[in-house]
Amino acid sequence: MESSTLTHTTATIAASTLLLLLVTCMPAVSVETDADHCVWYGQCGIDPKTNAPLNCLYNGTAKPLADPKAVDLLQKLCPQYATNGSDSRTCCSYDQLQTLDLNMVLPRQFLLRCPSCYSNFLQLYCALTCNPQQSRYLAVQKTAEGDEPNTTVITSLDYYLSADYANGMFNSCKDVQFPGNNQKAIALFCGRAADECTPQDWLNYMGDTSNHKTPFTIDFVLTSTPLTRNDTRSVYYPMNDTIIPCSEATSNATHSCSCQDCQAACSAPTPPVPPRQPWRILGFDAMWFVMVCSFGGFIALFVPLVVWSLARGRADAYGKPRRDHELFTCCAKDESRVTEVKPSCLEKLNARCECMLRRSFTCWGVFCAGHPMLVLFAGLVISVSLSCGILMMQVTTDPVELWSEPTSTVRMQRDYYESHFVPFFRTEQLIIRAVDKDPIVHEYYPQGQQQFSSIFRKDFLHQVLDLQLSVERLTVHDEKLNRTVSLGDVCFTPLAPDNTNCTVQSMLNYYQNSHEMLDKVALDPDFQMFVTADYIDHFMSCVSDPVAIADMSDLHTPCIGTYGGPVAPWTALGGYPGFEYGNASALLISFIVQNRKSDPEFLQMAMSWEKAFVDFMKSYTNENFTISFNSERSIEDELERESQSDIITILVSYLIMFAYVSIALGHVRDGYRLLVDSKISLGLGGVLIVLVSVTTSIGTFSYAGVPVTLIIVEVVPFLVLAVGVDNIFILVQAYQRSVRRSDELLHEHVGRMVGEVGPSMLLSSLAETTAFFIGSMSSMPAVRAFSLYAALAVLVNFLLQITCFISLMTLDSKRQERYRVDILCCVRLNQKTEHVKPVTTEDQEGFLYKMVKHCYAPALLSKYIRPAVIIVFVGWIFACVAMVNKIEIGLDQSLSMPEDSFVLDYFKSMNEYLSVGPPVYFVVKDGFDYTTREQQNKVCGGNGCSEESLLGQLYKASTQPASSYVAHPASSWLDDYFDWSATSPCCRVYKNTDEFCNVSVVNDTCVACDIHQEQGRPAPEDFVHYLRFFLEDNPNILCAKGGHAAYGNAVELLHNQTSIGATYFMSYHTVLKTSADYINALESAQQISQNITRSLGVPGVEVFPYSIFYVFYEQYLTIIPATVQSLGLCLAAIFVVASVLLGFDFHSAGIIIVTIAMILLSMMGLMYLWSIPLNAISLVNLVMTVGIAVEFCSHITRAFATSVKLTRVERAKDALTEMGSSVLSGITLTKFGGIVVLAFSKSQIFQVFYFRMYVGIVLFGAVHGLAFLPVFLSYVGPTVNKKRLQTWNEIDANRGPCETDPLLQSSDSKQSVET
């Protein structure tokens, strides 16, 4: 952007200017004439159009230069003609030499960076102006009366030039760069794009007076042999001096052109990085091939083993006649033989741990049930106290804070950039397309016709200009600041204070945003009847030379924008192939606003104006074109609107789940007891506990100053509800299925049930809490914050459940026993005799429990279904593994917007029409010495610079945009400073103040700077002193490389402007459309910067890339290892906790981990199949998947491990019966009702990352926990604990709940003892 605001440079610069050619000629001169014959000498007229001098016609021999100043100037410009000092005879006077020197100012600025190019170019004009034998190749065609008496001036001549010389000169100059404008310099001298320029085009443009720089016509005639003119019969020999190739130095004191300016000087190019090829085996995707072969191998081993087992009629899939010591490795049918074997130390430890946990929870349950009001009061006080921290809550909505670690590399680089330079601008953009798609045909007089797209209709452009001017005139009253804000108050003005016009990147700025300029035409000079140039001609000239002060058409109007800088065509047009700007299908208009982040008042003004801009564009209509628009604040505004609109969706989702929990907890035995047996109040109490656990977590961390994110608000309640509801159902249903003993009081009965299920609740909750706390070690802020809040919420939820919920359950049981109505506890029903029946085990079993016990479990664990389940799940997991590496990484920014957002249309248009990507700045940190030639050569891109310099490497990268994602060579303040300092008129100072004086200032006190030059560069002692003048200089026709517009913010001057700090060199990325493009562009830029840093070789000096999007995409460079780390740490934490709480039963803990890992792999397979990319949001959901998967796995696995049934199948059936219905009703059915609502959200993020992933979490968790896990346990589960089995046989059913050894079995088994 900054480089685009460049200079009034001008194509004009070109040869035209040089054409200095102030020459006059006489009719064709014959070769037979004197060898020293001239065609002109001296100056005796002024061209009225260009105000440039014209040369006097002279038909005589060359004259000596008597003036020593003239000899010195000849020695400087054309030393080949100054071999005899003051006796040197030439065809040019001192005045002509001065004009030649003046006309070489601009070519020197643009071409001298390649000495051989400039030398060849200068030689062309030295031969034209001073060669004493110029009559051999110059033929005067037209003359006119001079301004002085009896003089004739030349107005047209032919210049016979060798085709070899023309081609050689062109080849030496065609690659010379114009760093300040990211284009090739030859475009400024050719009148067309560099890629379209030829040697003849170049010469024709420089010799044509229509460029308004050349005072007389020069017709360059290219020929390889002498030509005889038909009119005079004179013979002309083409000028064919020696060409110096750009790969060679002009002298021993100079260097050859750099690789950047001369392809022939480059070493062998590095082969482009080939695109990453997919891994294939035998033509198939390698992962699929490996997984299919692996699955085939599994089938080959598993199926025969199952068939053999079924054929032998064994209950165990791998069974065979067992010896005594083998009975405990698989199945045991003879209980007496089991008890004969001595338990191992680990089994004793396992039984002791189980006993301790059951005893502890039983006693705790008795206490809470016996003192319900005290427990509830204490829980309420603590929870409310911690929840009050919400008043101090800080909500983070800044995307940078959400997705970027403050200590991450890119984040620190961004902070470094913004602290040393101006923060990147705020951009408001319009993308405009014509409704009428019919092209227009433009008449070129007298050449013919050319077709242009419909956006070039003049009436269309007038309407667009009206819109643009309306936006520029927008004002808004800011209530907070109590002032009116206009675009001029906040826009970027690169040439301020000299030029205060706002930067507006628009094609209409080629016409200075003026209706009059758009309508302007040029008529033929003879009859004033035919239009020879109009707005289309002006446009075609400006896209070739955006910095022209006067275009090359007959209009001769400026192309430079009103803000003092050029408008690059790729920033103002879109939807065109190659360089066919006339076929563009969209106009791009960008209003550039400053981004003073450290100035809150200015930022408020900018955001106020942006809001007015958005409101205006929303209400604007025009039937002739369609508009996509966006402002800097639009994404944040739309995210906020989306969050507010989704509140209702979230609330409805949670209300459905709350309602289900409240209703499903009830166990109604008959209609009369409906109001008594319902558990609505208890369910609401359980849901309230879930909500309080969330508020407690948020309040606690708010006290600690940890900010809240929207992800926490949206995801943590879902997680805690899943965990909490599951535990509620397990606890309540275990109590409902249990029959109170004859000698038990209510609180003892409740305590005994807590003793049974408490360890299982502790296992799942503590495993999840530990996993989440470990997950908070993630480097991703969003994942870390979620893990912290989730861990504390799950922990608090568990603590409240084993305290307050137990007390609530006790109070509810008392209400139920007293026949009091649910909710309306003061209402009591009459206790009718017919409804007072003995409660049996059958009565206590709910519908789901019966279904699982009598239908589902027997069917699932039948001998034919079990192997089928294993085969299906293993096949699915192999398929998921094959899909894992195909998951897309990143986040399509369009997904973050609501479906009805205007920003979505803008994103679509941006992908379709933009022609260049975001700017990228390569920053050199403070500490580099730019004053010495050795260090300069490591950075610069001109002659004498290293091919591996900073600019050299960026140039090479730009030649391979497909792999480097760098679209253009970088702009270089250093190279332009070299050229500027070597141009004598550019640097001037007020002799009384030593302050800078621009070349355009007319003041007698302005004198030339005394810059000491060393081989074309400022001497070290002068380098920094005059650099500040370069950075203050506004570009103009004489000093096109003034650095104010392009580099005013690119160089940091320190210590009262006496030393150089950080600097940057700007380029552009290629068009980036997908997340992969953005990630690859960042990765490529970092690799380039690392290579440059190594090339500089200065300790402590680092080069890094910066672009506005880097901070958001850095996470994706490490998202895969971050995902593996986060999930791996969570699984490791769960394994440790499960092993300890299962009495060091590593076997069972391992099975839990395997099942959770399978659920994770299933989720990843779903992500690929359902187009869910991997990013911070999906990673948070994967971490949450681990937590919810624990609920699906741990309860059933623990029930299996503590069961004393004698075979794995029986214990699996027992575990599924006891825990399956609670898991099914507690998590699965509860969640599905709420998840369905999310599908109707307007937010695409909710639809993709919440609805789709939540469906997957619940579905895969349920099928793995309720289908795969029991079958898996029936095959490879741990053997029965012998110590527990022996203790079971010794149990006394009449002992009290805290006295009895609490190694109790499933309800069925225990209840048989009780009976």
Side-chain angles (χ1 to χ4, degrees), residues 250-264:
T250 57
S251 68
N252 293 332
T254 62
H255 298 273
S256 65
C257 302
S258 68
C259 171
Q260 188 171 347
D261 297 319
C262 175
Q263 286 292 315

Side-chain angles (χ1 to χ4, degrees), residues 774 1106 1191:
I774 294 295
Y1106 169 73
E1191 292 294 322

